[in-house]
Amino acid sequence: MILTVTLNTALDITYRVRGLRPHASHRVTEVIERPGGKGLNVARVLAALGHEVTVTGFVGGATGRAVQDGLTHTPGVVDALVPVAGATRRTIAVADTATGDTTQLNEPGPSIAPAEWSAFQEAYEDLLRSASAVALCGSLPPGVPVGAYAGLVRVARSLAVPVLLDTSGEPLRRGVAARPDIVKPNADELAELTGAHEVAQATRDARRRGAHAVVASLGAEGLLARTPDGDWRAAPPRLVRGNPTGAGDSVVAGLLSGLVEQLPWPERLARAVALSAATVLAPVAGEFDRSAYEELVGRVSVTGETAAA
């Protein structure tokens, strides 16, 4: 079982409009609602790849019930979310069908009480005992300590469970120091973490800060990976246009599935890039265009070299 952690779960709502214009009224052509938050998106992609996945994090209120109702219709995903008094947040994506661009609005999330945080930590440790890997994903809701991910990384490492961290800002800085197996920042998050604006240098600095492997997301240009086994650059064979929401979460799913399947790094990276591109072509986060994925995965360019023995 793969475990994904989404401390700030969400109900993702996507509105489709024909031409988004400021200060104007718009007629919505389609509304899509589904469980969201980075770890839940990761879980849906992992399940579509054939892995058994359990999701945990916080859930509450009417929005939280809608999230859990949606999970019951997601084959391969087990709901182990922890209830809280506050209401789960909503995220609003407005997709412009004329340009392919998407505008995102994210609520902050419920305030988590100390007792609720303690209950989650107990549930998390219990779930780790049957996990083959864990992904810690996304922002922290109000009330959760800024060093939360660092603590969760340490618990996973104490139980010998490989851990991937995908967050930003101070939670990333503290989490990296706890020595996760993989971190997956984008270029801006790396620059904020290390102070280096050249991505290759920033990945080296992030490894020195504690991460065993750093996989930097370069958007449409693919991935740059610096690992104990070697350094690689992976790029898609062609540019794809569409809704990029969730593309980074599909990268996480590709990396995590490759880890548990013990694939060599070049194959993990090719899968992650192909899944990311195929997600851009899908209508909502947490899905990917399977035919596009199958066409792209064998054509991803992966260059670099294995580390010297």
Side-chain angles (χ1 to χ4, degrees):
M1 176 268 285
I2 298 175
L3 178 65
T4 73
V5 174
T6 313
L7 296 178
N8 213 0
T9 56
L11 180 66
D12 283 349
I13 304 170
T14 301
Y15 294 132
R16 297 193 179 282
V17 300
R18 295 190 183 97
L20 181 62
R21 303 179 308 281
H23 316 298
S25 177
H26 298 79
R27 185 175 298 278
V28 175
T29 60
E30 184 181 18
V31 181
I32 302 171
E33 289 189 3
R34 64 185 310 151
K38 294 179 72 65
L40 270 63
N41 295 335
V42 172
R44 283 200 297 272
V45 175
L46 285 168
L49 292 171
H51 290 276
E52 295 181 0
V53 192
T54 296
V55 297
T56 191
F58 296 113
V59 69
T63 349
R65 288 192 293 275
V67 167
Q68 292 187 291
D69 287 346
L71 288 174
T72 64
H73 302 294
T74 308
V77 175
V78 175
D79 174 1
L81 294 167
V82 175
V84 295
T88 296
R89 66 186 178 134
R90 296 163 297 178
T91 65
I92 310 296
V94 183
D96 185 333
T97 58
T99 65
D101 293 332
T102 300
T103 299
Q104 191 83 14
L105 303 172
N106 297 327
E107 296 179 356
S111 183
I112 304 302
E116 293 169 335
W117 174 234
S118 296
F120 169 80
Q121 291 177 89
E122 292 180 13
Y124 171 73
E125 186 167 348
D126 287 343
L127 289 166
L128 279 178
R129 298 185 188 282
S130 56
S132 56
V134 57
L136 308 175
C137 302
S139 61
L140 301 178
V144 172
V146 70
Y149 281 135
L152 298 182
V153 169
R154 293 188 188 100
V155 173
R157 288 182 54 77
S158 73
L159 296 172
V161 178
V163 54
L164 184 154
L165 176 63
D166 182 17
T167 188
S168 60
E170 185 66 11
L172 174 61
R173 189 184 71 80
R174 297 196 187 194
V176 165
R179 302 185 64 78
D181 294 88
I182 305 172
V183 294
K184 190 218 68 69
N186 60 34
D188 290 340
E189 291 162 350
L190 259 181
E192 183 182 3
L193 172 67
T194 66
H197 292 275
E198 199 279 313
V199 178
Q201 179 62 48
T203 56
R204 283 190 289 269
D205 289 351
R207 282 205 68 208
R208 282 196 289 267
R209 288 170 180 263
H212 288 271
V214 180
V215 181
S217 176
L218 308 177
E221 296 179 7
L223 302 172
L224 176 65
R226 195 169 299 277
T227 82
D229 299 331
D231 303 331
W232 291 275
R233 175 73 180 267
R238 58 183 173 86
L239 179 68
V240 297
R241 289 189 61 83
N243 181 1
T245 307
D249 304 331
S250 291
V251 169
V252 172
L255 296 174
L256 209 58
S257 63
L259 185 155
V260 299
E261 294 172 30
Q262 300 183 331
L263 298 180
W265 270 102
E267 291 183 35
R268 298 188 206 180
L269 296 169
R271 176 182 291 181
V273 168
L275 281 171
S276 177
T279 297
V280 171
L281 297 171
V284 291
E287 293 185 359
F288 62 95
D289 184 313
R290 187 171 291 275
S291 62
Y293 166 68
E294 292 171 353
E295 179 256 325
L296 291 166
V297 69
R299 299 174 54 214
V300 172
S301 169
V302 182
T303 57
E305 58 184 14
T306 303

